Amino acid sequence: MSIETPYLLYLGHSTDPVEIKTSRGIAVFRREICVGEFRHDDCPLTLDLPRLTFAEAVQQGAKTLVLGIANAGGTFAKPVIEDALAAMEAGLDLAAGLHQQLADQPAITGAARRLGRKLHDVRKPSPDLRVATGAPRTGNRLLTIGTDCSVGKMYSSLSLVKGLTERGVTADFRATGQTGILIAGAGVPLDAVPADFISGAIEELAPARSDAGWDIIEGQGSLYHPSFAGVSLGLLHGAQPQALVLCHNPAREHMRHLPGYALPDLAECLAANLAAARLTSPNVRAVGIALDTSSMGEDMARRLCDTIGASLDLPCTDPHRFGVEAILDKLLAKDESGIQAVA
């Protein structure tokens, strides 16, 4: 069942910018299908879209309220359920990507039946999952990896797709999270896939290809995050990537939601990911570092990119702020054997 657009993006009572990453991602990469945002007076955040009530959004053509929030645990708080019910009464369908499903909320399902509204649970994997084989497959695949959760892996992936396309290189975004799926219209909600099937799901998401194009696979989690390392490892093996881009937020003081765990050293993190990826992709290589510098001034951000790039001997940039040209130069350059990497 396809999700009808335009969207009204939900911020609700959120105060943490990271928690609204789904709504923000859609606003950045699919702004043309968004009529506005819904937020309460105690929400200090904005996507710079018109602030609308549910009724006003319907009057302006909105079809679906995207509950684009991602709280710890992925649960439906009581205020969110209350807003969801009010949105349906106003005439909106619902889409959500939380671990808890809309279809499992009795108040929401009851109202949907009564009002004839559609419910879309994005974080619902296919029932036809299979175990990975690890068999070598043709094609070019790049995977974004991270030092932590929510450090720009999706933004970097989409920026790389855009950059490759502008160079005339075929590139396809392979979404593995709720935001990416809502942007791309398809994908695998990887953190909802049973552990035994994670690698197999990615093998199906990015199968063998015989052209010179690239699959840019959206990374998830971090090998160094105690909560989500299993997902990251399965993704590394299933992606069978030729190239890795390491994403990092230099302003992060500790692992997200885990104050007792420090962020890993960049070189150590990159080495660990390369080692793990070699199980299914022996010739994998690192082609760049992607920073989220949104919390710092431009001069400081550029200096940091230069410093980190020099220390790791890799191009380093903020993809959303400064572009990805240097990473693409590295990705598409001839390797030491003289073989064009894109071929």
PDB file of all heavy atoms in Angstrom, residues 10-15 19 40 42 65 67 69-86 94 96-102 104-108:
ATOM      1  N   TYR A  10       5.377  15.705  11.608  1.00  0.00           N
ATOM      2  CA  TYR A  10       5.055  15.807  13.029  1.00  0.00           C
ATOM      3  C   TYR A  10       6.310  16.045  13.867  1.00  0.00           C
ATOM      4  O   TYR A  10       7.300  15.307  13.763  1.00  0.00           O
ATOM      5  CB  TYR A  10       4.381  14.513  13.482  1.00  0.00           C
ATOM      6  CG  TYR A  10       3.958  14.492  14.932  1.00  0.00           C
ATOM      7  CD1 TYR A  10       2.789  15.124  15.335  1.00  0.00           C
ATOM      8  CD2 TYR A  10       4.718  13.823  15.890  1.00  0.00           C
ATOM      9  CE1 TYR A  10       2.385  15.086  16.670  1.00  0.00           C
ATOM     10  CE2 TYR A  10       4.314  13.791  17.218  1.00  0.00           C
ATOM     11  CZ  TYR A  10       3.153  14.425  17.601  1.00  0.00           C
ATOM     12  OH  TYR A  10       2.751  14.395  18.920  1.00  0.00           O
ATOM     13  N   LEU A  11       6.265  17.084  14.698  1.00  0.00           N
ATOM     14  CA  LEU A  11       7.301  17.345  15.693  1.00  0.00           C
ATOM     15  C   LEU A  11       6.759  17.182  17.115  1.00  0.00           C
ATOM     16  O   LEU A  11       7.523  16.905  18.034  1.00  0.00           O
ATOM     17  CB  LEU A  11       7.869  18.757  15.522  1.00  0.00           C
ATOM     18  CG  LEU A  11       8.391  19.147  14.138  1.00  0.00           C
ATOM     19  CD1 LEU A  11       8.996  20.542  14.190  1.00  0.00           C
ATOM     20  CD2 LEU A  11       9.400  18.143  13.637  1.00  0.00           C
ATOM     21  N   GLY A  12       5.486  17.409  17.286  1.00  0.00           N
ATOM     22  CA  GLY A  12       4.833  17.195  18.574  1.00  0.00           C
ATOM     23  C   GLY A  12       5.395  18.047  19.686  1.00  0.00           C
ATOM     24  O   GLY A  12       5.503  19.265  19.578  1.00  0.00           O
ATOM     25  N   HIS A  13       5.787  17.389  20.772  1.00  0.00           N
ATOM     26  CA  HIS A  13       6.365  18.074  21.938  1.00  0.00           C
ATOM     27  C   HIS A  13       7.888  17.927  21.977  1.00  0.00           C
ATOM     28  O   HIS A  13       8.506  18.217  23.006  1.00  0.00           O
ATOM     29  CB  HIS A  13       5.789  17.486  23.226  1.00  0.00           C
ATOM     30  CG  HIS A  13       4.318  17.696  23.402  1.00  0.00           C
ATOM     31  ND1 HIS A  13       3.779  18.871  23.888  1.00  0.00           N
ATOM     32  CD2 HIS A  13       3.261  16.874  23.137  1.00  0.00           C
ATOM     33  CE1 HIS A  13       2.461  18.764  23.940  1.00  0.00           C
ATOM     34  NE2 HIS A  13       2.123  17.563  23.492  1.00  0.00           N
ATOM     35  N   SER A  14       8.515  17.485  20.906  1.00  0.00           N
ATOM     36  CA  SER A  14       9.942  17.159  20.909  1.00  0.00           C
ATOM     37  C   SER A  14      10.804  18.368  21.253  1.00  0.00           C
ATOM     38  O   SER A  14      10.541  19.491  20.811  1.00  0.00           O
ATOM     39  CB  SER A  14      10.367  16.621  19.544  1.00  0.00           C
ATOM     40  OG  SER A  14       9.671  15.437  19.220  1.00  0.00           O
ATOM     41  N   THR A  15      11.859  18.106  22.017  1.00  0.00           N
ATOM     42  CA  THR A  15      12.842  19.146  22.349  1.00  0.00           C
ATOM     43  C   THR A  15      14.253  18.740  21.926  1.00  0.00           C
ATOM     44  O   THR A  15      15.156  19.564  21.931  1.00  0.00           O
ATOM     45  CB  THR A  15      12.845  19.435  23.858  1.00  0.00           C
ATOM     46  OG1 THR A  15      13.141  18.221  24.571  1.00  0.00           O
ATOM     47  CG2 THR A  15      11.495  19.970  24.311  1.00  0.00           C
ATOM     48  N   GLU A  19      15.808  13.585  17.889  1.00  0.00           N
ATOM     49  CA  GLU A  19      14.584  12.788  17.899  1.00  0.00           C
ATOM     50  C   GLU A  19      13.665  13.074  16.718  1.00  0.00           C
ATOM     51  O   GLU A  19      12.794  12.272  16.403  1.00  0.00           O
ATOM     52  CB  GLU A  19      13.819  13.011  19.215  1.00  0.00           C
ATOM     53  CG  GLU A  19      14.483  12.361  20.405  1.00  0.00           C
ATOM     54  CD  GLU A  19      13.630  12.422  21.649  1.00  0.00           C
ATOM     55  OE1 GLU A  19      12.536  13.030  21.592  1.00  0.00           O
ATOM     56  OE2 GLU A  19      14.055  11.866  22.678  1.00  0.00           O
ATOM     57  N   HIS A  40       3.616  21.484  18.975  1.00  0.00           N
ATOM     58  CA  HIS A  40       2.955  22.147  20.093  1.00  0.00           C
ATOM     59  C   HIS A  40       3.776  23.353  20.542  1.00  0.00           C
ATOM     60  O   HIS A  40       4.940  23.520  20.166  1.00  0.00           O
ATOM     61  CB  HIS A  40       2.756  21.159  21.247  1.00  0.00           C
ATOM     62  CG  HIS A  40       1.732  20.112  20.966  1.00  0.00           C
ATOM     63  ND1 HIS A  40       0.380  20.350  21.052  1.00  0.00           N
ATOM     64  CD2 HIS A  40       1.863  18.815  20.561  1.00  0.00           C
ATOM     65  CE1 HIS A  40      -0.291  19.252  20.755  1.00  0.00           C
ATOM     66  NE2 HIS A  40       0.580  18.301  20.441  1.00  0.00           N
ATOM     67  N   ASP A  42       5.208  24.028  23.251  1.00  0.00           N
ATOM     68  CA  ASP A  42       6.413  23.743  24.050  1.00  0.00           C
ATOM     69  C   ASP A  42       7.537  23.116  23.229  1.00  0.00           C
ATOM     70  O   ASP A  42       8.589  22.770  23.774  1.00  0.00           O
ATOM     71  CB  ASP A  42       6.072  22.843  25.235  1.00  0.00           C
ATOM     72  CG  ASP A  42       5.500  21.499  24.806  1.00  0.00           C
ATOM     73  OD1 ASP A  42       5.218  21.306  23.600  1.00  0.00           O
ATOM     74  OD2 ASP A  42       5.327  20.622  25.682  1.00  0.00           O
ATOM     75  N   LEU A  65      -0.172  12.291   7.839  1.00  0.00           N
ATOM     76  CA  LEU A  65       0.663  12.813   8.923  1.00  0.00           C
ATOM     77  C   LEU A  65       1.796  11.817   9.137  1.00  0.00           C
ATOM     78  O   LEU A  65       1.556  10.652   9.461  1.00  0.00           O
ATOM     79  CB  LEU A  65      -0.143  12.966  10.215  1.00  0.00           C
ATOM     80  CG  LEU A  65       0.676  13.348  11.454  1.00  0.00           C
ATOM     81  CD1 LEU A  65       1.209  14.782  11.331  1.00  0.00           C
ATOM     82  CD2 LEU A  65      -0.151  13.199  12.733  1.00  0.00           C
ATOM     83  N   LEU A  67       4.528  10.663  11.453  1.00  0.00           N
ATOM     84  CA  LEU A  67       4.966  10.763  12.845  1.00  0.00           C
ATOM     85  C   LEU A  67       6.484  10.571  12.869  1.00  0.00           C
ATOM     86  O   LEU A  67       7.003   9.527  13.284  1.00  0.00           O
ATOM     87  CB  LEU A  67       4.241   9.723  13.694  1.00  0.00           C
ATOM     88  CG  LEU A  67       2.713   9.914  13.759  1.00  0.00           C
ATOM     89  CD1 LEU A  67       2.037   8.681  14.342  1.00  0.00           C
ATOM     90  CD2 LEU A  67       2.368  11.157  14.582  1.00  0.00           C
ATOM     91  N   ILE A  69       9.236  11.043  14.408  1.00  0.00           N
ATOM     92  CA  ILE A  69      10.036  11.166  15.621  1.00  0.00           C
ATOM     93  C   ILE A  69      10.666   9.808  15.925  1.00  0.00           C
ATOM     94  O   ILE A  69      10.165   8.769  15.492  1.00  0.00           O
ATOM     95  CB  ILE A  69       9.184  11.638  16.815  1.00  0.00           C
ATOM     96  CG1 ILE A  69       7.945  10.748  16.963  1.00  0.00           C
ATOM     97  CG2 ILE A  69       8.762  13.085  16.626  1.00  0.00           C
ATOM     98  CD1 ILE A  69       7.098  11.056  18.170  1.00  0.00           C
ATOM     99  N   ALA A  70      11.777   9.827  16.635  1.00  0.00           N
ATOM    100  CA  ALA A  70      12.486   8.588  16.932  1.00  0.00           C
ATOM    101  C   ALA A  70      12.998   8.644  18.362  1.00  0.00           C
ATOM    102  O   ALA A  70      14.160   8.940  18.599  1.00  0.00           O
ATOM    103  CB  ALA A  70      13.643   8.386  15.961  1.00  0.00           C
ATOM    104  N   ASN A  71      12.122   8.371  19.322  1.00  0.00           N
ATOM    105  CA  ASN A  71      12.531   8.406  20.727  1.00  0.00           C
ATOM    106  C   ASN A  71      13.243   7.115  21.100  1.00  0.00           C
ATOM    107  O   ASN A  71      13.212   6.124  20.368  1.00  0.00           O
ATOM    108  CB  ASN A  71      11.318   8.638  21.630  1.00  0.00           C
ATOM    109  CG  ASN A  71      10.245   7.579  21.441  1.00  0.00           C
ATOM    110  OD1 ASN A  71      10.387   6.657  20.663  1.00  0.00           O
ATOM    111  ND2 ASN A  71       9.155   7.718  22.170  1.00  0.00           N
ATOM    112  N   ALA A  72      13.920   7.114  22.242  1.00  0.00           N
ATOM    113  CA  ALA A  72      14.607   5.918  22.707  1.00  0.00           C
ATOM    114  C   ALA A  72      13.588   4.805  22.939  1.00  0.00           C
ATOM    115  O   ALA A  72      12.614   4.976  23.660  1.00  0.00           O
ATOM    116  CB  ALA A  72      15.366   6.212  23.993  1.00  0.00           C
ATOM    117  N   GLY A  73      13.805   3.671  22.291  1.00  0.00           N
ATOM    118  CA  GLY A  73      12.888   2.553  22.427  1.00  0.00           C
ATOM    119  C   GLY A  73      11.808   2.510  21.366  1.00  0.00           C
ATOM    120  O   GLY A  73      11.153   1.493  21.182  1.00  0.00           O
ATOM    121  N   GLY A  74      11.603   3.628  20.652  1.00  0.00           N
ATOM    122  CA  GLY A  74      10.635   3.641  19.567  1.00  0.00           C
ATOM    123  C   GLY A  74       9.220   3.349  20.005  1.00  0.00           C
ATOM    124  O   GLY A  74       8.518   2.532  19.402  1.00  0.00           O
ATOM    125  N   THR A  75       8.765   4.043  21.060  1.00  0.00           N
ATOM    126  CA  THR A  75       7.434   3.780  21.607  1.00  0.00           C
ATOM    127  C   THR A  75       6.490   4.951  21.348  1.00  0.00           C
ATOM    128  O   THR A  75       6.922   6.076  21.116  1.00  0.00           O
ATOM    129  CB  THR A  75       7.520   3.529  23.118  1.00  0.00           C
ATOM    130  OG1 THR A  75       8.092   4.686  23.747  1.00  0.00           O
ATOM    131  CG2 THR A  75       8.391   2.319  23.417  1.00  0.00           C
ATOM    132  N   PHE A  76       5.187   4.654  21.419  1.00  0.00           N
ATOM    133  CA  PHE A  76       4.160   5.679  21.267  1.00  0.00           C
ATOM    134  C   PHE A  76       3.791   6.240  22.635  1.00  0.00           C
ATOM    135  O   PHE A  76       3.122   5.571  23.422  1.00  0.00           O
ATOM    136  CB  PHE A  76       2.907   5.102  20.604  1.00  0.00           C
ATOM    137  CG  PHE A  76       3.028   4.944  19.116  1.00  0.00           C
ATOM    138  CD1 PHE A  76       3.321   3.702  18.565  1.00  0.00           C
ATOM    139  CD2 PHE A  76       2.865   6.023  18.269  1.00  0.00           C
ATOM    140  CE1 PHE A  76       3.436   3.547  17.204  1.00  0.00           C
ATOM    141  CE2 PHE A  76       2.980   5.885  16.894  1.00  0.00           C
ATOM    142  CZ  PHE A  76       3.262   4.640  16.358  1.00  0.00           C
ATOM    143  N   ALA A  77       4.243   7.457  22.905  1.00  0.00           N
ATOM    144  CA  ALA A  77       3.850   8.110  24.151  1.00  0.00           C
ATOM    145  C   ALA A  77       2.384   8.533  24.048  1.00  0.00           C
ATOM    146  O   ALA A  77       1.844   8.718  22.955  1.00  0.00           O
ATOM    147  CB  ALA A  77       4.737   9.323  24.413  1.00  0.00           C
ATOM    148  N   LYS A  78       1.750   8.710  25.202  1.00  0.00           N
ATOM    149  CA  LYS A  78       0.331   9.070  25.230  1.00  0.00           C
ATOM    150  C   LYS A  78       0.032  10.335  24.427  1.00  0.00           C
ATOM    151  O   LYS A  78      -0.949  10.361  23.662  1.00  0.00           O
ATOM    152  CB  LYS A  78      -0.140   9.230  26.674  1.00  0.00           C
ATOM    153  CG  LYS A  78      -1.625   9.552  26.797  1.00  0.00           C
ATOM    154  CD  LYS A  78      -2.048   9.666  28.249  1.00  0.00           C
ATOM    155  CE  LYS A  78      -3.531  10.029  28.362  1.00  0.00           C
ATOM    156  NZ  LYS A  78      -3.957  10.178  29.787  1.00  0.00           N
ATOM    157  N   PRO A  79       0.840  11.416  24.541  1.00  0.00           N
ATOM    158  CA  PRO A  79       0.535  12.615  23.740  1.00  0.00           C
ATOM    159  C   PRO A  79       0.586  12.365  22.232  1.00  0.00           C
ATOM    160  O   PRO A  79      -0.167  12.991  21.478  1.00  0.00           O
ATOM    161  CB  PRO A  79       1.624  13.607  24.166  1.00  0.00           C
ATOM    162  CG  PRO A  79       2.052  13.140  25.516  1.00  0.00           C
ATOM    163  CD  PRO A  79       1.960  11.658  25.469  1.00  0.00           C
ATOM    164  N   VAL A  80       1.466  11.461  21.793  1.00  0.00           N
ATOM    165  CA  VAL A  80       1.554  11.153  20.363  1.00  0.00           C
ATOM    166  C   VAL A  80       0.291  10.434  19.907  1.00  0.00           C
ATOM    167  O   VAL A  80      -0.259  10.722  18.833  1.00  0.00           O
ATOM    168  CB  VAL A  80       2.801  10.307  20.061  1.00  0.00           C
ATOM    169  CG1 VAL A  80       2.852   9.928  18.585  1.00  0.00           C
ATOM    170  CG2 VAL A  80       4.071  11.067  20.460  1.00  0.00           C
ATOM    171  N   ILE A  81      -0.181   9.505  20.719  1.00  0.00           N
ATOM    172  CA  ILE A  81      -1.426   8.797  20.368  1.00  0.00           C
ATOM    173  C   ILE A  81      -2.592   9.781  20.304  1.00  0.00           C
ATOM    174  O   ILE A  81      -3.430   9.726  19.383  1.00  0.00           O
ATOM    175  CB  ILE A  81      -1.708   7.682  21.394  1.00  0.00           C
ATOM    176  CG1 ILE A  81      -0.643   6.583  21.277  1.00  0.00           C
ATOM    177  CG2 ILE A  81      -3.108   7.098  21.186  1.00  0.00           C
ATOM    178  CD1 ILE A  81      -0.783   5.474  22.296  1.00  0.00           C
ATOM    179  N   GLU A  82      -2.646  10.700  21.262  1.00  0.00           N
ATOM    180  CA  GLU A  82      -3.721  11.693  21.248  1.00  0.00           C
ATOM    181  C   GLU A  82      -3.668  12.547  19.979  1.00  0.00           C
ATOM    182  O   GLU A  82      -4.704  12.829  19.362  1.00  0.00           O
ATOM    183  CB  GLU A  82      -3.614  12.577  22.494  1.00  0.00           C
ATOM    184  CG  GLU A  82      -3.918  11.829  23.785  1.00  0.00           C
ATOM    185  CD  GLU A  82      -3.619  12.652  25.028  1.00  0.00           C
ATOM    186  OE1 GLU A  82      -2.987  13.733  24.882  1.00  0.00           O
ATOM    187  OE2 GLU A  82      -3.998  12.231  26.141  1.00  0.00           O
ATOM    188  N   ASP A  83      -2.463  12.954  19.578  1.00  0.00           N
ATOM    189  CA  ASP A  83      -2.336  13.742  18.349  1.00  0.00           C
ATOM    190  C   ASP A  83      -2.693  12.916  17.124  1.00  0.00           C
ATOM    191  O   ASP A  83      -3.309  13.419  16.177  1.00  0.00           O
ATOM    192  CB  ASP A  83      -0.904  14.273  18.215  1.00  0.00           C
ATOM    193  CG  ASP A  83      -0.603  15.407  19.184  1.00  0.00           C
ATOM    194  OD1 ASP A  83      -1.562  16.044  19.665  1.00  0.00           O
ATOM    195  OD2 ASP A  83       0.590  15.667  19.438  1.00  0.00           O
ATOM    196  N   ALA A  84      -2.311  11.657  17.128  1.00  0.00           N
ATOM    197  CA  ALA A  84      -2.636  10.784  16.002  1.00  0.00           C
ATOM    198  C   ALA A  84      -4.148  10.652  15.819  1.00  0.00           C
ATOM    199  O   ALA A  84      -4.674  10.693  14.698  1.00  0.00           O
ATOM    200  CB  ALA A  84      -1.998   9.419  16.203  1.00  0.00           C
ATOM    201  N   LEU A  85      -4.842  10.513  16.928  1.00  0.00           N
ATOM    202  CA  LEU A  85      -6.304  10.407  16.861  1.00  0.00           C
ATOM    203  C   LEU A  85      -6.915  11.700  16.330  1.00  0.00           C
ATOM    204  O   LEU A  85      -7.833  11.668  15.479  1.00  0.00           O
ATOM    205  CB  LEU A  85      -6.859  10.090  18.250  1.00  0.00           C
ATOM    206  CG  LEU A  85      -6.459   8.738  18.843  1.00  0.00           C
ATOM    207  CD1 LEU A  85      -6.953   8.621  20.286  1.00  0.00           C
ATOM    208  CD2 LEU A  85      -7.005   7.598  17.997  1.00  0.00           C
ATOM    209  N   ALA A  86      -6.405  12.837  16.795  1.00  0.00           N
ATOM    210  CA  ALA A  86      -6.921  14.125  16.313  1.00  0.00           C
ATOM    211  C   ALA A  86      -6.633  14.310  14.833  1.00  0.00           C
ATOM    212  O   ALA A  86      -7.459  14.864  14.080  1.00  0.00           O
ATOM    213  CB  ALA A  86      -6.290  15.261  17.125  1.00  0.00           C
ATOM    214  N   LEU A  94      -2.070   8.038   8.591  1.00  0.00           N
ATOM    215  CA  LEU A  94      -0.892   8.070   9.453  1.00  0.00           C
ATOM    216  C   LEU A  94       0.219   7.200   8.888  1.00  0.00           C
ATOM    217  O   LEU A  94      -0.037   6.117   8.347  1.00  0.00           O
ATOM    218  CB  LEU A  94      -1.234   7.558  10.857  1.00  0.00           C
ATOM    219  CG  LEU A  94      -2.314   8.285  11.652  1.00  0.00           C
ATOM    220  CD1 LEU A  94      -2.503   7.594  13.006  1.00  0.00           C
ATOM    221  CD2 LEU A  94      -1.955   9.744  11.856  1.00  0.00           C
ATOM    222  N   ALA A  96       4.236   5.924  10.268  1.00  0.00           N
ATOM    223  CA  ALA A  96       5.189   5.961  11.377  1.00  0.00           C
ATOM    224  C   ALA A  96       6.242   4.890  11.176  1.00  0.00           C
ATOM    225  O   ALA A  96       6.015   3.887  10.483  1.00  0.00           O
ATOM    226  CB  ALA A  96       4.475   5.755  12.711  1.00  0.00           C
ATOM    227  N   GLY A  97       7.407   5.117  11.805  1.00  0.00           N
ATOM    228  CA  GLY A  97       8.491   4.158  11.697  1.00  0.00           C
ATOM    229  C   GLY A  97       9.048   3.765  13.036  1.00  0.00           C
ATOM    230  O   GLY A  97      10.202   3.346  13.133  1.00  0.00           O
ATOM    231  N   LEU A  98       8.255   3.890  14.103  1.00  0.00           N
ATOM    232  CA  LEU A  98       8.713   3.504  15.426  1.00  0.00           C
ATOM    233  C   LEU A  98       8.729   1.977  15.565  1.00  0.00           C
ATOM    234  O   LEU A  98       8.111   1.260  14.779  1.00  0.00           O
ATOM    235  CB  LEU A  98       7.792   4.098  16.495  1.00  0.00           C
ATOM    236  CG  LEU A  98       7.749   5.626  16.567  1.00  0.00           C
ATOM    237  CD1 LEU A  98       6.713   6.073  17.577  1.00  0.00           C
ATOM    238  CD2 LEU A  98       9.118   6.189  16.911  1.00  0.00           C
ATOM    239  N   HIS A  99       9.480   1.492  16.566  1.00  0.00           N
ATOM    240  CA  HIS A  99       9.496   0.050  16.796  1.00  0.00           C
ATOM    241  C   HIS A  99       8.101  -0.447  17.145  1.00  0.00           C
ATOM    242  O   HIS A  99       7.684  -1.508  16.674  1.00  0.00           O
ATOM    243  CB  HIS A  99      10.486  -0.289  17.916  1.00  0.00           C
ATOM    244  CG  HIS A  99      11.910  -0.219  17.479  1.00  0.00           C
ATOM    245  ND1 HIS A  99      12.458  -1.099  16.580  1.00  0.00           N
ATOM    246  CD2 HIS A  99      12.906   0.644  17.805  1.00  0.00           C
ATOM    247  CE1 HIS A  99      13.726  -0.798  16.379  1.00  0.00           C
ATOM    248  NE2 HIS A  99      14.020   0.261  17.101  1.00  0.00           N
ATOM    249  N   GLN A 100       7.386   0.285  17.970  1.00  0.00           N
ATOM    250  CA  GLN A 100       5.984  -0.045  18.191  1.00  0.00           C
ATOM    251  C   GLN A 100       5.208   0.279  16.911  1.00  0.00           C
ATOM    252  O   GLN A 100       5.511   1.246  16.225  1.00  0.00           O
ATOM    253  CB  GLN A 100       5.413   0.751  19.364  1.00  0.00           C
ATOM    254  CG  GLN A 100       5.859   0.252  20.724  1.00  0.00           C
ATOM    255  CD  GLN A 100       5.080   0.907  21.859  1.00  0.00           C
ATOM    256  OE1 GLN A 100       4.439   1.940  21.685  1.00  0.00           O
ATOM    257  NE2 GLN A 100       5.146   0.307  23.035  1.00  0.00           N
ATOM    258  N   GLN A 101       4.218  -0.534  16.616  1.00  0.00           N
ATOM    259  CA  GLN A 101       3.486  -0.389  15.368  1.00  0.00           C
ATOM    260  C   GLN A 101       2.155   0.340  15.595  1.00  0.00           C
ATOM    261  O   GLN A 101       1.489   0.154  16.620  1.00  0.00           O
ATOM    262  CB  GLN A 101       3.190  -1.767  14.775  1.00  0.00           C
ATOM    263  CG  GLN A 101       4.422  -2.636  14.569  1.00  0.00           C
ATOM    264  CD  GLN A 101       5.176  -2.299  13.310  1.00  0.00           C
ATOM    265  OE1 GLN A 101       4.709  -2.515  12.202  1.00  0.00           O
ATOM    266  NE2 GLN A 101       6.375  -1.764  13.474  1.00  0.00           N
ATOM    267  N   LEU A 102       1.794   1.155  14.611  1.00  0.00           N
ATOM    268  CA  LEU A 102       0.469   1.761  14.635  1.00  0.00           C
ATOM    269  C   LEU A 102      -0.603   0.682  14.740  1.00  0.00           C
ATOM    270  O   LEU A 102      -1.593   0.838  15.455  1.00  0.00           O
ATOM    271  CB  LEU A 102       0.246   2.577  13.355  1.00  0.00           C
ATOM    272  CG  LEU A 102       1.034   3.867  13.193  1.00  0.00           C
ATOM    273  CD1 LEU A 102       0.948   4.349  11.743  1.00  0.00           C
ATOM    274  CD2 LEU A 102       0.519   4.954  14.135  1.00  0.00           C
ATOM    275  N   ASP A 104      -0.662  -1.956  16.259  1.00  0.00           N
ATOM    276  CA  ASP A 104      -0.764  -2.588  17.571  1.00  0.00           C
ATOM    277  C   ASP A 104      -1.332  -1.651  18.640  1.00  0.00           C
ATOM    278  O   ASP A 104      -1.348  -2.016  19.824  1.00  0.00           O
ATOM    279  CB  ASP A 104       0.614  -3.086  18.021  1.00  0.00           C
ATOM    280  CG  ASP A 104       1.126  -4.216  17.140  1.00  0.00           C
ATOM    281  OD1 ASP A 104       0.294  -4.940  16.558  1.00  0.00           O
ATOM    282  OD2 ASP A 104       2.361  -4.363  17.031  1.00  0.00           O
ATOM    283  N   GLN A 105      -1.767  -0.463  18.233  1.00  0.00           N
ATOM    284  CA  GLN A 105      -2.337   0.504  19.174  1.00  0.00           C
ATOM    285  C   GLN A 105      -3.864   0.470  19.052  1.00  0.00           C
ATOM    286  O   GLN A 105      -4.414   0.984  18.067  1.00  0.00           O
ATOM    287  CB  GLN A 105      -1.808   1.915  18.880  1.00  0.00           C
ATOM    288  CG  GLN A 105      -0.300   2.012  18.793  1.00  0.00           C
ATOM    289  CD  GLN A 105       0.396   1.523  20.036  1.00  0.00           C
ATOM    290  OE1 GLN A 105       0.045   1.899  21.157  1.00  0.00           O
ATOM    291  NE2 GLN A 105       1.409   0.672  19.855  1.00  0.00           N
ATOM    292  N   PRO A 106      -4.575  -0.143  19.980  1.00  0.00           N
ATOM    293  CA  PRO A 106      -6.029  -0.326  19.843  1.00  0.00           C
ATOM    294  C   PRO A 106      -6.781   0.963  19.580  1.00  0.00           C
ATOM    295  O   PRO A 106      -7.708   0.983  18.750  1.00  0.00           O
ATOM    296  CB  PRO A 106      -6.430  -0.949  21.181  1.00  0.00           C
ATOM    297  CG  PRO A 106      -5.195  -1.629  21.669  1.00  0.00           C
ATOM    298  CD  PRO A 106      -4.063  -0.751  21.226  1.00  0.00           C
ATOM    299  N   ALA A 107      -6.437   2.043  20.261  1.00  0.00           N
ATOM    300  CA  ALA A 107      -7.162   3.295  20.062  1.00  0.00           C
ATOM    301  C   ALA A 107      -6.990   3.787  18.630  1.00  0.00           C
ATOM    302  O   ALA A 107      -7.939   4.298  18.005  1.00  0.00           O
ATOM    303  CB  ALA A 107      -6.664   4.357  21.047  1.00  0.00           C
ATOM    304  N   ILE A 108      -5.782   3.643  18.085  1.00  0.00           N
ATOM    305  CA  ILE A 108      -5.504   4.112  16.724  1.00  0.00           C
ATOM    306  C   ILE A 108      -6.186   3.229  15.686  1.00  0.00           C
ATOM    307  O   ILE A 108      -6.808   3.718  14.739  1.00  0.00           O
ATOM    308  CB  ILE A 108      -3.984   4.175  16.497  1.00  0.00           C
ATOM    309  CG1 ILE A 108      -3.391   5.337  17.302  1.00  0.00           C
ATOM    310  CG2 ILE A 108      -3.661   4.331  15.007  1.00  0.00           C
ATOM    311  CD1 ILE A 108      -1.880   5.458  17.199  1.00  0.00           C
TER     312      ILE A 108
END
